[in-house]
Amino acid sequence: MLLSQERPAPVAVVTPKLSPHEIVRKILAGRGVEVLETARRYYPKEVGIIEENLARLIDSGRLKGPVSGEELFSFLRRVGLSFSMDTKIRVKEHGELKTLEEKFREGVR
């Protein structure tokens, strides 16, 4: 009886609550983070609202990851956020990545 009284009560481990931004970033794959940050530069207020709603869906289990950059870009376009991504086309030749500009310069010589 004395031993049971001396035992300290179990302490509950408090996990810090993640922000909506962190919750959404956890399920993004590929270029998803890049798409999200590019959209935020164009539409900071709207992306914040979308992140809150997506975080709620993730917490409830209705949205499961991973979400690719292409899927996120398509979703953001469908909800009316129109923006462009920085796109680079590269050619792999002999184990080296070259831009199209470099490739065309080599062909002209």
Side-chain angles (χ1 to χ4, degrees):
M1 201 161 133
L2 289 175
L3 291 175
S4 66
Q5 290 176 355
E6 290 178 14
R7 266 191 249 149
V11 178
V13 178
V14 178
T15 56
K17 178 100 168 134
L18 295 176
S19 70
H21 178 70
E22 293 168 334
I23 293 170
V24 172
R25 282 181 70 117
K26 285 174 70 175
I27 68 159
L28 296 178
R31 293 182 69 186
V33 174
E34 183 183 350
V35 170
L36 185 65
E37 295 308 318
T38 302
R40 185 184 317 284
R41 275 185 264 141
Y42 285 90
Y43 304 99
K45 182 180 176 184
E46 292 83 355
V47 169
I49 294 168
I50 290 171
E51 273 182 332
E52 289 174 11
N53 289 318
L54 289 176
R56 234 180 284 130
L57 289 172
I58 294 166
D59 284 340
S60 70
R62 293 179 61 198
L63 176 63
K64 296 177 183 164
V67 175
S68 71
E70 294 82 9
E71 291 169 327
L72 181 61
F73 184 77
S74 176
F75 169 74
L76 293 173
R77 294 287 295 231
R78 278 185 271 144
V79 296
L81 303 183
S82 180
F83 59 96
S84 60
M85 294 292 297
D86 183 27
T87 305
K88 295 178 185 176
I89 300 173
R90 296 184 182 175
V91 178
K92 187 171 186 176
E93 182 176 65
H94 305 294
E96 184 182 346
L97 285 176
K98 298 179 180 183
T99 64
L100 286 179
E101 179 183 1
E102 293 169 339
K103 186 72 176 153
F104 287 139
R105 268 196 230 138
E106 290 175 359
V108 173
R109 291 182 212 174

